[in-house]
Amino acid sequence: YISRGLFETHKEVFSLLLALKLQLNQNIITIDHFNCFLKGGAALDIASERKKPKSWIPDAAWLNIIEISRKLPLFKDLPDMIFRNDNAWLQWYDQENPEATNVPEVADRLDTMHKLLLVRSLRSDRTMIVAKEFIGEVLGQQYVASHPLNVETMHGESDER
């Protein structure tokens, strides 16, 4: 019933937050995962952090990388990986659909949540595409598919109050 009162774009965000909260409550993800997804490196200052290795990395993306490398063990070496193999990372970054290609050096270790965090960190424009994959995995495909509102059905389910 909640999704009936939401606009289409808000349904995806609601489903994503529901999936994240469910995984948090089941201790599948930690509060660090949740915070890295919501805030990324927004609280960091580019002037006081490690210098980014290449100019193709946007400042906001570099701060996100620094933050997830500090908070999540899987990504602890991410800044060094990007520094060592920046050509492969640039190729991945420049892909039209990077979420559909193998991530350099860590592809075999990424589950959907970590893939979501990495895409959100480097290519925030592609976040909701990976989020739909995450929602489908956690809650089921019915939470990803859009269902148009049927006013007649809704009226039939209502009662006089």
Side-chain angles (χ1 to χ4, degrees):
Y1 291 109
I2 289 173
S3 68
R4 287 182 179 174
L6 299 174
F7 293 112
E8 285 301 313
T9 56
H10 299 142
K11 289 178 187 178
E12 292 173 355
V13 173
F14 176 78
S15 295
L16 176 58
L17 289 173
L18 185 65
L20 287 167
K21 189 67 173 173
L22 183 67
Q23 291 223 318
L24 240 169
N25 286 339
Q26 294 174 343
N27 294 319
I28 297 170
I29 64 171
T30 65
I31 195 68
D32 286 335
H33 288 88
F34 188 75
N35 286 334
C36 284
F37 179 77
L38 286 183
K39 297 184 276 189
L44 302 177
D45 177 28
I46 193 74
S48 62
E49 296 299 334
R50 176 180 174 179
K51 189 176 184 308
K52 61 184 182 178
K54 297 292 178 178
S55 61
W56 62 263
I57 306 171
D59 289 350
W62 183 245
L63 293 175
N64 292 338
I65 290 165
I66 296 295
E67 184 67 8
I68 66 172
S69 72
R70 288 181 180 159
K71 301 288 184 183
L72 304 173
L74 179 65
F75 296 122
K76 72 180 167 113
D77 296 325
L78 185 59
D80 294 327
M81 284 187 245
I82 293 172
F83 185 77
R84 275 193 319 267
N85 199 1
D86 71 284
N87 286 334
W89 283 94
L90 174 60
Q91 271 187 323
W92 180 83
Y93 179 84
D94 282 341
Q95 293 284 324
E96 187 174 327
N97 302 323
E99 72 284 349
T101 61
N102 282 335
V103 179
E105 301 184 57
V106 293
D108 58 330
R109 295 180 279 161
L110 291 180
D111 58 12
T112 310
M113 179 65 203
H114 289 94
K115 180 180 171 183
L116 176 63
L117 287 167
L118 188 62
V119 169
R120 183 255 185 259
S121 294
L122 279 163
R123 286 286 306 269
S124 60
D125 60 314
R126 309 298 293 175
T127 301
M128 287 311 292
I129 295 165
V130 183
K132 288 178 185 178
E133 184 182 333
F134 177 73
I135 294 164
E137 189 177 286
V138 174
L139 300 176
Q141 288 302 314
Q142 69 270 24
Y143 287 88
V144 177
S146 178
H147 304 287
L149 180 64
N150 185 325
V151 177
E152 288 180 18
T153 303
M154 188 174 68
H155 185 271
E157 292 174 355
S158 65
D159 59 5
E160 300 166 8
R161 290 185 197 193

